[in-house]
């Protein structure tokens, strides 16, 4: 149990805290490796480009929010499910860029990721837990 004066118990949640909590769930569900990172980055990419596209298609910011409120449950939720499916297939997008070099890059990434990036990512994801993950 944390003491009442500890910074994490008295400080407000920042957006990065919500991102870390979401990414930790993705990390655990997707196997805690390069596939999980690729899934998360691909999903965020598709979600951001979807929102930016909607914003650019709107005639004003007020129009954007008005449309998002009415269409969120139907269209945007459907796009989110579609983006989840696309994110599952993130290695395919890498290989489609260039089959030979994409395949080589993917193989190298799966080989180098556990050696170089896995421990720092786990340290960031689980820094608030005892033992660091």
């Amino acid at each position: 149990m944390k003491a009442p004066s500890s910074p994490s118990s008295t400080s407000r949640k920042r957006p990065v805290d919500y991102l870390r909590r979401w990414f930790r769930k993705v990390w655990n569900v997707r196997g805690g490796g390069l596939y999980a990172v690729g899934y998360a980055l691909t999903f965020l990419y598709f979600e951001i480009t979807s929102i930016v596209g909607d914003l650019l298609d709107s005639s004003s910011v007020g129009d954007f929010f008005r449309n998002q409120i009415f269409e969120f449950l139907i269209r945007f939720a459907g796009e989110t499910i579609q983006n989840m499916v696309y994110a599952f297939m993130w290695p395919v997008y890498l290989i489609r860029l260039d089959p030979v070099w994409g395949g080589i890059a993917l193989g190298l990434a799966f080989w180098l990721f556990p050696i170089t990036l896995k421990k720092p990512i786990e340290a960031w994801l689980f820094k608030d837990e005892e033992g660091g993950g």
Side-chain angles (χ1 to χ4, degrees):
M1 186 169 167
K2 293 186 180 190
S5 63
S6 70
S8 62
S9 65
T10 59
S11 64
R12 300 181 74 176
K13 292 280 187 186
R14 299 171 297 163
V16 72
D17 296 327
Y18 293 107
L19 176 67
R20 185 174 54 238
R21 187 173 57 204
W22 171 79
F23 186 60
R24 187 174 19 204
K25 289 176 185 176
V26 171
W27 182 263
N28 289 332
V29 170
R30 302 285 167 246
L34 181 64
Y35 184 80
V37 172
Y39 174 88
L41 292 176
T42 305
F43 180 76
L44 289 173
Y45 169 77
F46 284 126
E47 286 292 299
I48 290 168
T49 55
S50 175
I51 291 171
V52 169
D54 289 346
L55 184 58
L56 293 175
D57 289 342
S58 299
S59 59
S60 69
V61 175
D63 183 42
F64 167 75
F65 285 110
R66 199 169 28 257
N67 288 340
Q68 285 299 317
I69 289 171
F70 293 119
E71 295 180 13
F72 179 77
L73 294 175
I74 300 167
R75 187 182 53 76
F76 193 71
E79 286 179 3
T80 298
I81 292 169
Q82 179 182 358
N83 292 341
M84 288 172 55
V85 172
Y86 289 161
F88 282 125
M89 303 182 312
W90 72 265
V92 173
Y93 296 109
L94 183 62
I95 292 174
R96 281 180 49 191
L97 291 174
D98 185 301
V100 174
W101 290 109
I104 291 170
L106 191 59
L108 284 173
F110 272 103
W111 176 59
L112 291 173
F113 180 82
I115 299 168
T116 59
L117 294 174
K118 187 171 182 173
K119 289 196 187 296
I121 290 173
E122 286 177 333
W124 176 71
L125 286 175
F126 301 105
K127 72 179 184 178
D128 57 344
E129 294 182 7
E130 290 185 33

